[in-house]
């Protein structure tokens, strides 16, 4: 990893990429999403303060555990722009994200455990398919291809075009 002398207080986007391990395009994306910021030189080149290295590390660590960028941006917005996220910041935020991650893990475990229910079907049209029909939400409205019929709406069922508004967009095969 290239070393940057202590007297250098600002980094080019290339230096930031080399030090952080993030691609230049990722850094531009982070900046466009308000996760990091730079100043522009008179030649319109980006310059990042050294604390941006810690912010990029913070963003990448949060992404690795599945935290959405919008949530990361909200967390970083709570910190003063000049201050880098600290170990205490990470501990506080990770505590608040823990329940969200635990719920996502439970959902993924349920999906994994029910995945074999749909393998034999292939078209996800089982009466109680847990992937296309979680908790059999459509079972109370009858059997068959409820999603396809409802998506197309009454006009389409009568031979006229036009999707029903605010309906599921998923399609399901027949019985």
């Amino acid at each position: 990893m290239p070393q940057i002398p202590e007297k250098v207080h600002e980094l080019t986007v290339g230096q930031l990429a080399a030090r952080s391990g993030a691609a230049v395009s990722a850094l531009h994306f982070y900046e466009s999403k308000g996760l990091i910021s730079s100043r522009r030189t008179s030649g319109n080149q980006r310059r990042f303060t050294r604390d941006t290295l810690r912010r990029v590390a913070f963003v990448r660590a949060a992404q690795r555990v599945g935290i959405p960028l919008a949530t990361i941006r909200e967390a970083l917005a709570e910190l003063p722009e000049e201050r880098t996220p600290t170990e205490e910041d990470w501990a506080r935020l990770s505590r608040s994200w823990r329940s969200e991650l635990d719920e996502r893990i439970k959902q993924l475990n349920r999906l994994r455990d029910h995945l074999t229910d749909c393998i034999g079907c292939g078209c996800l049209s089982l009466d109680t398919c847990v992937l296309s029909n979680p908790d059999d939400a459509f079972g109370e409205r009858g059997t068959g291809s409820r999603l396809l019929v409802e998506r197309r709406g009454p006009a389409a069922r009568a031979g006229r075009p036009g999707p029903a508004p605010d309906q599921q967009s998923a399609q399901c095969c027949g019985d």
Side-chain angles (χ1 to χ4, degrees), residues 23-171:
V24 169
S25 59
L27 296 173
H28 290 170
F29 179 74
Y30 292 165
E31 186 175 19
S32 74
K33 296 299 180 187
L35 299 166
I36 61 175
S37 62
S38 67
R39 75 168 185 87
R40 297 294 182 126
T41 66
S42 58
N44 203 29
Q45 296 175 334
R46 290 176 170 90
R47 292 295 184 264
F48 297 90
T49 58
R50 290 179 73 95
D51 66 306
T52 307
L53 278 168
R54 170 102 24 130
R55 283 183 170 261
V56 171
F58 184 93
V59 169
R60 296 185 80 205
Q63 280 186 295
R64 274 193 295 278
V65 296
I67 304 301
L69 287 179
T71 304
I72 298 168
R73 182 178 53 247
E74 290 169 9
L76 287 172
E78 295 175 12
L79 302 174
E81 188 64 34
E82 303 81 36
R83 186 170 67 73
T84 61
T86 63
E87 185 177 336
E88 292 80 26
D89 294 326
W90 180 259
R92 178 178 47 83
L93 290 166
S94 65
R95 276 192 305 273
S96 70
W97 294 335
R98 186 176 184 87
S99 63
E100 178 184 336
L101 291 173
D102 286 342
E103 183 56 36
R104 241 187 278 155
I105 289 167
K106 285 179 193 174
Q107 289 173 350
L108 287 170
N109 283 331
R110 277 194 303 271
L111 284 172
R112 181 205 57 215
D113 294 345
H114 293 294
L115 184 61
T116 56
D117 294 344
C118 288
I119 296 291
C121 168
C123 68
L124 306 177
S125 66
L126 297 173
D127 290 339
T128 57
C129 179
V130 296
L131 295 179
S132 65
N133 186 13
D135 302 319
D136 195 23
F138 296 104
E140 294 180 16
R141 294 191 251 169
T143 61
S145 303
R146 305 305 306 167
L147 294 178
L148 182 59
V149 171
E150 289 174 11
R151 186 180 71 96
R152 292 177 51 197
R157 288 193 303 273
R160 296 184 310 271
D166 301 324
Q167 296 293 322
Q168 293 279 350
S169 62
Q171 292 188 14

